[in-house]
Every structure is written in structure tokens, then in C-alpha cells.
Amino acid sequence: MREPLTEERLREFMRLLGRESAAEGRIYLTGGASALLFGWRPSTLDVDLAIVPENNAVLRAIPRLKEQLNVNVELASPSDFIPELPGWQDRSPFITREGKLSFHHYDFYAQCLSKIERAHRKDRADVEMMLAQGLVDRRRLLALFGQIEPELYRYPALDPASFRQAVEAIAGTA
């Protein structure tokens, strides 16, 4: 079992990962990593991230850094759970640059929608924090959901009607 990840250890992971890339790229952090950096919780279980474009040097470094820092790392993002939102990269706030890698929070609208869909206790708390801090606007959240709703059939584990109800409840339109 690995140690819980703190902000300090996350920043060390980012610094070391940045040293590994000879090519420009972006790392999108999501879930607990975003919650840590915004101070919503003191620790998380793992680093969920997406690499754009795919970078073999970074991918090869991750297992070594996982062991060195005793952290869990998952290649996971909201688009693993829900359809990709149009314009998500443009809405992904910059965190820092380490070497040739720019680190960003994965689009908060995409994070919010994937957390609404999963509906775990921590996910609900994160959604409330995104709303409270103005990272997500309720009306825009509903509009972006409407843009991906026709693609929900590609995710057979999702129930489109209950997902819509949950989004409408958060958006205040239910």
C-alpha cells in the first residue's frame, strides 16, 4: 500500500516528471490532484493524469517515479468515463511548467460532469467546491452536458436519463 499523496509530494512528482521529457507536452491532472492543489483536501490516493501528446519518455519514467516517491499514478481522465467535451483543452487552467512539460488542471467542466456521473462521496464534495469557487458555472455545465448527451450511447455503463437528472439537479434546473 502506498502512502497518501500530499501536495508537496505531488509537486515533487511533477518536478521529476518534467525532467524526463525531451519533447514539449502537456500533463493534465484531474481528480484528487486538482483537489490537493486547490486545498480541498490534505491528501489523495493517487495522481490521475492524461499526457498530450503521448510521450514515451514520460510513460517510461512513471513506473520508476511511482516507486521512488511511493505514489500511485493512473493514466485516467474524465474522457475515460464520459464523452470528451468540446474545447476542454482551452478550459484547462495552467498550473506550472517543469522542463518541457506544462502541467494543467483537466477542464473543470469535464471533471465536474464525470464526478456527477460517478457520484462518490468525495466526487460530490469536489463538485460542490468547484461550484463554490466559481470554477464551474451551473448554466454552462448544463449546456456542455447537452453537447455530449448525443454521444452517451458510446458509454454503455451510463444511464443517460439518470445522468441528465443528476446534472439538472446540480445545475438547479430540475
Side-chain angles (χ1 to χ4, degrees):
M1 176 107 179
R2 301 201 186 266
E3 299 173 35
L5 181 67
T6 61
E7 180 180 352
E8 180 181 327
R9 291 180 56 236
L10 172 60
R11 289 194 181 274
E12 177 70 359
F13 171 78
M14 291 165 39
R15 188 178 64 75
L16 293 174
L17 195 61
R19 289 182 179 173
E20 299 294 332
S21 184
E24 296 289 326
R26 285 184 171 201
I27 305 293
Y28 294 93
L29 302 178
T30 189
S34 287
L36 273 181
L37 294 172
F38 271 89
W40 303 337
R41 52 179 109 135
S43 66
T44 190
L45 297 176
D46 55 20
V47 181
D48 293 328
L49 57 85
I51 304 167
V52 177
E54 194 169 278
N55 181 321
N56 284 332
V58 170
L59 287 167
R60 290 178 197 276
I62 288 173
R64 182 173 34 80
L65 293 177
K66 282 174 62 170
E67 294 305 316
Q68 179 181 337
L69 297 173
N70 195 28
V71 299
N72 288 318
V73 179
E74 300 290 334
L75 299 178
S77 69
S79 63
D80 294 327
F81 305 101
I82 63 171
E84 192 172 276
L85 270 64
W88 72 269
Q89 287 185 351
D90 295 334
R91 289 187 306 272
S92 296
F94 177 77
I95 301 168
T96 192
R97 182 150 173 100
E98 296 289 349
K100 294 194 177 219
L101 296 178
S102 293
F103 290 82
H104 295 257
H105 293 284
Y106 199 103
D107 172 34
F108 284 108
Y109 287 93
Q111 287 197 53
C112 190
L113 286 170
S114 69
K115 288 174 176 288
I116 290 169
E117 191 283 317
R118 287 193 320 248
H120 298 130
R121 182 184 54 80
K122 284 185 179 179
D123 290 332
R124 289 191 301 268
D126 289 348
V127 166
E128 289 304 318
M129 292 305 294
M130 286 181 225
L131 292 166
Q133 292 188 358
L135 299 170
V136 171
D137 173 78
R138 293 172 195 270
R139 284 186 296 224
R140 190 166 186 203
L141 180 70
L142 186 58
L144 287 167
F145 173 78
Q147 289 183 21
I148 64 166
E149 194 171 20
E151 298 299 315
L152 293 178
Y153 73 91
R154 295 178 180 275
Y155 294 75
L158 297 182
D159 175 35
S162 62
F163 190 12
R164 174 168 267 291
Q165 281 182 325
V167 174
E168 288 176 343
I170 295 293
T173 60

